[in-house]
Amino acid sequence: MSPGAPETLAQSLRRHDRDRYLTTLFAPANRRGDLIALYAFNFEVAKTREIVHEPLLGRIRLQWWRESIDAIYRDLPLRKHEVVEPLAAAIRRHNLTRYHFDRLIDAREADLADDPPASVDALELYAEDTASRLVRLALEILDAHNEAAGEAGRHSGIAWALTGVLRALPVHARLRRLSLPADLVAETGLDVSGFLELKPSPALSRIVERLAQRAREHLAAARAASATIPRQALSALLTGPLADAHLGRLARAGYDPFARDLVRPDTLASWRLAMAWMRGGI
């Protein structure tokens, strides 16, 4: 393992966020550990809703991470956690932008509410303040700081987050959680009770198709913006080919998020990333 993160963090990331773990394998060896520390931090924050039973406990956990980040930037004693020390080293080594961390943690407060996003725009803003902030931090670790990198990171993150929402719909339905934008639910007349019972419907397929199209548009924008990004920074954007593959499977399933074929893991994920890396694009 390169400087930045112990092997235990790499193995944990491999188990819990395999897609992002795979992208780190295409990063320069001397940056891989710092990327793993960053992605491990993201997993810790992102899993908050899943591990607490009360919103108050979730807010307390997020506040713990706010204070941990604050301690790093103010050179205060570090809190005891397996992610904090390697994350602090990555932040100091690459002078990472604090604002991205603050926005990411603040945005995760929305996970603690039961209300769905009010609109597609609200969902995309959430995606930008979570996934896109993470991509932009990864690009900083990989020395990509220019405006094109910022645009590529923003669009790549939104595309991956929207794809993630679509992939998670069966899980959310089983948890009786509606994560689809309220404006699309109203516009299509979606039967929410049917959705929560994992029943496909034309209305649901229309919503899924609309969100998939938005994800494709952001992917296209990310590709255009990434044309001038140094090859060494490409790994931060490599969720693009994985999103593209899932959106293709979803289209072939008629935009039914509950289709059985979508449950199967993408056994070609490593190959897709390798091909993108060899082409020098996403």
Side-chain angles (χ1 to χ4, degrees), residues 78-99:
L78 299 180
R79 296 198 166 186
K80 300 296 183 182
H81 190 283
E82 63 176 347
V83 173
V84 172
E85 186 173 341
L87 179 64
I91 287 172
R92 292 163 179 165
R93 200 165 9 246
H94 305 288
N95 193 26
L96 299 183
T97 303
R98 176 173 180 171
Y99 182 70

Side-chain angles (χ1 to χ4, degrees), residues 14 17-18 31 38 71 88 172 190 220 226 229 232 237 264-265 272 281:
R14 185 179 183 180
D17 192 351
R18 183 173 179 271
R31 307 298 170 94
L38 175 66
H172 290 170
L190 176 69
S226 68
I229 290 178
Q232 72 175 34
L237 306 173
R264 292 183 293 103
R272 297 185 204 283

